[in-house]
């Protein structure tokens, strides 16, 4: 797969273009809704990428905005491409937002985690223990489904054209026993193995680093190969994460990540620490 050509990124790009063209036409969302005899909330959801938009709706919007010819056809085609289904639609009860689609299309992923191993690096047994702990009232079938979805996500790192993946974790992740000591030994060993991939870098922020910017919480910065698709920050939470797309927010988190990398052990030293923790758990 070529990075940046997936349906979720296409929808995001289309939403941005439709918003830009409406503003260029000097029309408000309410005025567009009135002229097309639809609700203003529908136009708003289209422009934020929260709902899909049909090629017919795009054509109607562009006619209203005075966009014709090749430019109109290119955007209508973009709408067709944005409606295609990615592999994650098979897990639509697990992946309810745009996160996985954006992750699947990113050319770079910069992750920070302070409490647990990042999802793309988790073993099946570690993931099972984490998801079970976070959803104590869930049925076994739901847990298994969520674990299967997480394992499917991890194929991204083995893709023929994978994203550059850089994960920074707090040392606490290496000491918290998730599942069992055996599960932890397996998990940390797998992290060492994945770190050998040329596009993967893993660093550990040691306890001796003291306070650091990541104490605010986990986050992921997703980068895309085309300028038309600006970077986005995904801030994780227990229920649902949220996205930050303003340039100032993305810059702030990028700076935080740079400080975390500087506070962390060097990649080779980090892997030695992870391997040492794996050996201790294996005893």
């Amino acid at each position: 797969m070529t990075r940046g050509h997936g349906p979720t990124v296409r929808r995001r790009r289309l939403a941005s273009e439709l918003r830009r063209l409406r503003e260029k036409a000097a029309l408000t969302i309410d005025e567009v809704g009135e002229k097309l005899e639809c609700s203003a909330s529908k136009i708003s959801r289209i422009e934020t990428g929260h709902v899909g938009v049909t090629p017919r709706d795009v054509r109607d919007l562009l006619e209203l905005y005075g966009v014709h010819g090749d430019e109109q056809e290119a955007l209508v085609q973009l709408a067709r491409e944005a409606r295609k289904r990615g592999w994650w639609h098979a897990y639509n009860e697990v992946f309810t937002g745009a996160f996985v689609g954006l992750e699947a299309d990113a050319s770079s992923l910069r992750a920070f985690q302070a409490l647990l191993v990042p999802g793309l690096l988790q073993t099946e047994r570690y993931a099972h223990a984490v998801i079970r702990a976070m959803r104590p009232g869930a049925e076994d079938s739901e847990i298994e489904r969520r674990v299967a979805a997480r394992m499917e996500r991890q194929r991204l790192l083995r893709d023929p054209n994978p994203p550059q993946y850089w994960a920074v974790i707090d040392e606490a992740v290496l000491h918290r026993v998730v599942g069992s000591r055996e599960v932890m030994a397996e998990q940390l060993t797998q992290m060492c193995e994945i770190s050998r991939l040329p596009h993967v870098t893993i660093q550990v922020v040691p306890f001796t680093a003291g306070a650091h910017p990541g104490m605010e919480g986990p986050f992921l910065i997703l980068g895309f190969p085309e300028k038309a698709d600006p970077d986005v920050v995904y801030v994780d939470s227990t229920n649902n994460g949220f996205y930050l797309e303003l340039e100032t927010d993305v810059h702030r988190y990028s700076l935080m990540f740079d400080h975390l990398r500087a506070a962390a052990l060097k990649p080779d030293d980090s892997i030695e620490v992870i391997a040492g923790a794996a050996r201790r758990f294996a005893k």
Side-chain angles (χ1 to χ4, degrees):
M1 182 187 78
T2 302
R3 304 275 113 210
H5 288 190
T8 306
V9 168
R10 296 294 201 193
R11 178 192 291 186
R12 182 173 177 241
R13 185 183 304 174
L14 178 63
S16 177
E17 272 298 289
L18 290 175
R19 181 171 61 251
R20 182 186 69 81
L21 291 169
R22 174 183 58 77
E23 292 172 349
K24 183 179 179 181
L27 291 169
T28 66
I29 287 177
D30 288 333
E31 288 171 338
V32 172
E34 183 178 344
K35 290 179 182 296
L36 296 183
E37 298 182 340
C38 66
S39 67
S41 64
K42 175 183 176 179
I43 304 302
S44 177
R45 290 196 302 271
I46 288 173
E47 290 190 0
T48 55
H50 289 151
V51 297
V53 56
T54 66
R56 175 61 182 273
D57 283 344
V58 170
R59 197 178 297 278
D60 289 344
L61 287 167
L62 295 177
E63 287 289 339
L64 180 60
Y65 301 158
V67 178
H68 307 287
D70 291 344
E71 185 179 4
Q72 181 183 111
E73 288 307 312
L75 290 172
V76 170
Q77 178 59 29
L78 191 61
R80 295 190 186 101
E81 295 169 356
R83 291 174 64 81
K84 294 179 180 177
R85 290 180 173 268
W87 65 264
W88 51 90
H89 285 280
Y91 296 93
N92 58 7
E93 79 281 16
V94 176
F95 303 129
T96 56
F99 171 72
V100 175
L102 291 172
E103 178 187 68
D105 226 25
S107 57
S108 68
L109 299 166
R110 290 174 285 169
F112 172 74
Q113 275 286 356
L115 299 177
L116 66 155
V117 173
L120 289 181
L121 303 177
Q122 292 178 7
T123 65
E124 186 171 347
R125 291 200 295 173
Y126 185 99
H128 191 284
V130 166
I131 294 171
R132 168 55 72 193
M134 290 182 171
R135 297 177 176 271
E139 298 288 338
D140 288 345
S141 58
E142 180 186 346
I143 300 298
E144 295 301 330
R145 184 69 171 160
R146 289 183 176 276
V147 171
R150 186 160 298 182
M151 295 301 102
E152 187 71 19
R153 271 180 60 203
Q154 294 181 1
R155 294 176 59 182
L156 179 65
L157 294 183
R158 304 286 184 177
D159 190 89
N161 181 29
Q164 292 295 316
Y165 182 72
W166 197 311
V168 177
I169 62 172
D170 193 280
E171 186 180 350
V173 175
L174 308 182
H175 296 276
R176 178 172 290 101
V177 180
V178 174
S180 68
R181 294 182 63 86
E182 181 185 2
V183 169
M184 288 301 299
E186 176 189 52
Q187 173 63 76
L188 299 179
T189 299
Q190 174 168 292
M191 288 175 66
C192 293
E193 293 171 352
I194 294 176
S195 73
R196 298 191 186 102
L197 295 173
H199 54 279
V200 174
T201 302
I202 301 174
Q203 287 184 271
V204 175
V205 180
F207 289 142
T208 55
H212 57 73
M215 298 177 79
E216 185 175 328
F219 63 90
L220 175 70
I221 305 171
L222 302 97
F224 301 93
E226 299 186 30
K227 290 184 178 180
D229 306 312
D231 292 358
V232 59
V233 176
Y234 178 76
V235 181
D236 207 355
S237 67
T238 304
N239 295 322
N240 272 312
F242 57 93
Y243 302 92
L244 299 172
E245 300 186 66
L246 291 177
E247 186 176 348
T248 52
D249 289 328
V250 174
H251 176 74
R252 179 166 67 91
Y253 274 88
S254 295
L255 190 61
M256 285 171 59
F257 193 79
D258 287 342
H259 280 289
L260 284 165
R261 289 192 301 184
L265 301 172
K266 294 180 180 179
D268 288 346
D269 294 336
S270 294
I271 299 308
E272 285 187 16
V273 169
I274 295 171
R279 288 192 294 271
R280 289 194 296 275
F281 279 119
K283 291 181 179 179

